[in-house]
Amino acid sequence: MLCTWNFVALAGEILLTQTQQKPTTKFQVQSSKYKPSTTTTTVQIYFIEFSYLLASILFILGLKGMSHPETAKRGMHLAEFGMLMAIIGTLMHHEIVSYTWILSGLAVGSVVGLAMGVWVPMTAMPQRTALSHAFGAFAAALVGISEFYRNGGHLEKITMSALGFEVMLGALTTTGSLLAFAKLQGMVRGTPMTYKGQNVFNMALLATTIALFIYLIVVPGSMPLFFTMVGLAFVFGLLLVMPIGSADMPVVMSLLNSYAGLASAATGFVLSNKVLIIAGTLDGFSGFILSVLMCRAMNRSMTNVLFGAFGSAATGPAAGADHQGSMREVNLDDLAVQLAYAGKVVFVPGYGLATAQAQHAVRELADVLEKRGVTVKYGIHPVAGRMPGHMNVLLAEANVPYSSLYELEQINSEFPSTDVAVVIGANDVVNPDARDNPNSPIAGMPILEVDHAKSVVVLKRGQGKGFSGLENPLFFKPVTGMLYGDAKDTLNRLVRAVHEA
Ligand code: NAP
């Protein structure tokens, strides 16, 4: 489904970009090269308006549906249908559409979107999303650049304001997203890249870019200044993401998502395209709301995010560096007996569950335990895995009932009455240093307090660190036992062992 959506969205983005080179607003100048082929009839105009209205309604209903796991699938289909209507509506603009460009855009978009949908694994979704943001933002920037160029830079103030906004946001989101992609893909080191005076330099660069933007609104027509502004915005995107460590990337990703959406909305103003304005605004603000939620989940302030240079915040002794004791290994058969005779078990899935594709295995274990009368719940951290909602998607795929999933705030109070908390490939989201050590780089990040359970078992392959690269004192606590091995394999063996217990 995601594949289909990516395909349609990517094709749509390219398509909309390539087809809307028209002087529709009263502010825009008719190009001498512009030669309408056929005329749009009144019926077609009504159809276009209807398809855009329908697309906008479907996008809103789609978003509403996607806000809850139970209705997410339906929401996705509604949004897909909305995108189809928007594309059909755009194709009806006979007088502005060049079908050669449409078909080229559709072919490129389909090939890239389909390939990404088929071959990119779920665990690489964040970097794939970063690439999508880069494509969308680049498309928006290109539309703005071509409009400026086509009109020789002589645009009405209001058009120039929207266009400048679109190009600036589009350009910085393009390079910012590409760098985020490179960091998440491991092509560039994921740790924060900082230098002295970085904030001052970044702010000065941003101020210069905005000053050029304002100048171009007041005194229109300068190509060199416009392209300097575009160049600076491209550079600013890189500088914005450079000082941000991979652990803070979810916030950056959702913020870039918001920028890409707002750039698309500005494109809609420039092209007088209502569906782009609505879809861009929805995308921009849903991205912004997600940023706020992610900030809370990662314990980052929005100011910190907006002014870059975060992720290198912690100084002083790093958390977990002075941990005491050793890790205690547990036996699989002993754990099976413990689980089989427990009153309440809470599973805490993390990134390792996703890499091992162990969602079906955990569901099977839960089924076996529930048949024996054990109460089974799942504790879901908002940033467990590598993208927002990662665990919800995986567990839904394995038909784990939504009623068994508990958010952080709901499940934390239940750990003291939990007999066994089974941590499956999770690390950072259960790191007690976030709560106990103010010097930890993840200090203040809300965690699943599994260490309050009567007993904790951690399923992981070995001594590997979490995404933040920090040591986890949980693994050294007396209450914790370690069961090494691939999560899927271990869970499958546990299912058999519980049957025999
Ligand atoms: P985590 O901190 O990345 O830890 C994952 C653990 O899984 C590792 O310690 C690893 O240890 C283990 N593991 C890996 N493959 C495994 C396998 N096949 N079987 C069993 N265990 C396996 O994961 P998390 O606790 O879910 O935390 C998520 C982190 O990602 C947070 O720091 C978050 O900020 C960050 N992040 C989240 C998002 C998001 O939106 N959700 C996006 C980007 C980044 P071994 O190597 O020893 O097996």
Side-chain angles (χ1 to χ4, degrees):
M1 187 163 41
L2 199 62
C3 150
T4 321
W5 171 245
N6 290 337
F7 151 66
V8 175
L10 191 63
E13 268 164 11
I14 292 174
L15 184 149
L16 284 171
T17 309
Q18 300 293 357
T19 58
Q20 308 251 347
Q21 306 298 311
K22 69 156 190 161
T24 45
T25 67
K26 60 182 172 177
F27 310 112
Q28 290 166 354
V29 180
Q30 177 83 35
S31 161
S32 56
K33 289 181 188 160
Y34 173 70
K35 288 192 179 61
S37 50
T38 49
T39 326
T40 305
T41 63
T42 317
V43 176
Q44 282 167 343
I45 291 171
Y46 279 128
F47 181 81
I48 291 167
E49 290 299 317
F50 171 73
S51 64
Y52 283 178
L53 181 68
L54 188 61
S56 306
I57 294 170
L58 287 168
F59 287 152
I60 294 168
L61 292 177
L63 266 183
K64 189 168 171 2
M66 281 185 255
S67 65
H68 197 279
E70 272 169 12
T71 52
K73 255 189 189 174
R74 202 180 59 213
M76 202 70 178
H77 289 314
L78 288 173
E80 282 168 1
F81 187 52
M83 180 55 89
L84 186 67
M85 289 312 294
I87 292 173
I88 292 172
T90 307
L91 289 175
M92 297 300 284
H93 279 287
H94 289 312
E95 82 287 11
I96 57 160
V97 161
S98 148
Y99 286 103
T100 320
W101 279 110
I102 293 267
L103 289 177
S104 317
L106 200 63
V108 175
S110 306
V111 170
V112 177
L114 210 61
M116 281 163 79
V118 171
W119 282 299
V120 175
M122 274 299 279
T123 45
M125 262 317 135
Q127 39 279 54
R128 201 214 63 79
T129 311
L131 266 189
S132 283
H133 292 168
F135 287 147
F138 193 50
L142 284 182
V143 171
I145 292 169
S146 71
E147 278 298 304
F148 187 88
Y149 187 74
R150 209 165 59 82
N151 290 286
H154 295 285
L155 296 161
E156 287 288 330
K157 286 188 174 44
I158 192 155
T159 310
M160 185 58 215
S161 307
L163 189 143
F165 189 65
E166 167 197 357
V167 171
M168 269 196 322
L169 279 181
L172 75 89
T173 305
T174 304
T175 46
S177 302
L178 285 177
L179 184 56
F181 163 78
K183 281 193 173 207
L184 291 168
Q185 187 65 23
M187 294 157 82
V188 174
R189 77 181 156 92
T191 48
M193 298 178 217
T194 51
Y195 57 87
K196 210 165 176 265
Q198 192 168 31
N199 272 342
V200 177
F201 183 75
N202 286 0
M203 285 306 111
L205 192 86
L206 182 62
T208 313
T209 316
I210 293 173
L212 285 174
F213 168 39
I214 295 171
Y215 181 84
L216 284 164
I217 296 172
V218 181
V219 189
S222 171
M223 285 284 164
L225 286 185
F226 176 75
F227 282 104
T228 310
M229 181 194 87
V230 177
L232 290 182
F234 274 122
V235 175
F236 183 73
L238 289 176
L239 298 180
L240 186 78
V241 176
M242 229 172 81
I244 298 163
S246 298
D248 290 334
M249 219 38 99
V251 184
V252 181
M253 294 290 300
S254 47
L255 202 61
L256 288 174
N257 178 36
S258 166
Y259 291 166
L262 293 177
S264 305
T267 310
F269 278 109
V270 172
L271 299 172
S272 291
N273 184 305
K274 292 188 197 80
V275 79
L276 257 184
I277 297 174
I278 296 171
T281 310
L282 289 174
D283 189 18
F285 281 94
S286 54
F288 184 75
I289 293 168
L290 186 61
S291 304
V292 174
L293 294 176
M294 294 299 286
C295 276
R296 277 193 209 144
M298 305 273 294
N299 193 36
R300 296 280 171 198
S301 74
M302 271 311 278
T303 326
N304 195 227
V305 174
L306 288 173
F307 291 98
F310 62 92
S312 53
T315 51
D322 56 348
H323 59 81
Q324 304 283 321
S326 57
M327 298 187 200
R328 179 174 59 91
E329 202 172 336
V330 294
N331 176 284
L332 186 129
D333 292 325
D334 293 346
L335 175 62
V337 173
Q338 199 186 354
L339 289 173
Y341 292 95
K344 181 157 79 175
V345 171
V346 176
F347 290 122
V348 175
Y351 176 65
L353 177 113
T355 45
Q357 287 291 293
Q359 61 273 27
H360 295 280
V362 72
R363 163 80 210 250
E364 268 181 58
L365 181 59
D367 285 348
V368 176
L369 291 176
E370 277 169 344
K371 272 195 196 125
R372 298 184 66 113
V374 182
T375 305
V376 177
K377 295 183 178 183
Y378 297 78
I380 308 295
H381 193 284
V383 293
R386 289 293 179 269
M387 61 177 183
H390 201 167
M391 295 302 119
N392 300 67
V393 173
L394 284 177
L395 295 174
E397 186 193 316
N399 292 324
V400 172
Y402 181 68
S403 55
S404 302
L405 309 190
Y406 289 78
E407 288 177 13
L408 191 131
E409 300 79 22
Q410 298 169 309
I411 200 75
N412 268 346
S413 58
E414 295 212 26
F415 281 120
S417 61
T418 300
D419 295 303
V420 195
V422 186
V423 177
I424 309 165
N427 195 335
D428 292 346
V429 298
V430 291
N431 190 333
D433 258 356
R435 180 193 59 209
D436 302 334
N437 185 347
N439 289 323
S440 168
I442 56 167
M445 177 174 126
I447 54 153
L448 286 159
E449 298 183 313
V450 289
D451 55 334
H452 290 170
K454 290 175 194 159
S455 166
V456 185
V457 181
V458 180
L459 273 50
K460 68 202 292 284
R461 294 164 308 176
Q463 315 284 316
K465 302 255 174 26
F467 191 71
S468 66
L470 297 170
E471 192 59 88
N472 191 339
L474 171 75
F475 305 156
F476 299 89
K477 291 198 174 212
V479 74
T480 310
M482 310 295 291
L483 185 55
Y484 297 116
D486 174 76
K488 187 177 175 181
D489 179 52
T490 307
L491 286 167
N492 282 334
R493 288 194 294 135
L494 270 173
V495 172
R496 289 194 293 273
V498 171
H499 268 305
E500 288 160 16

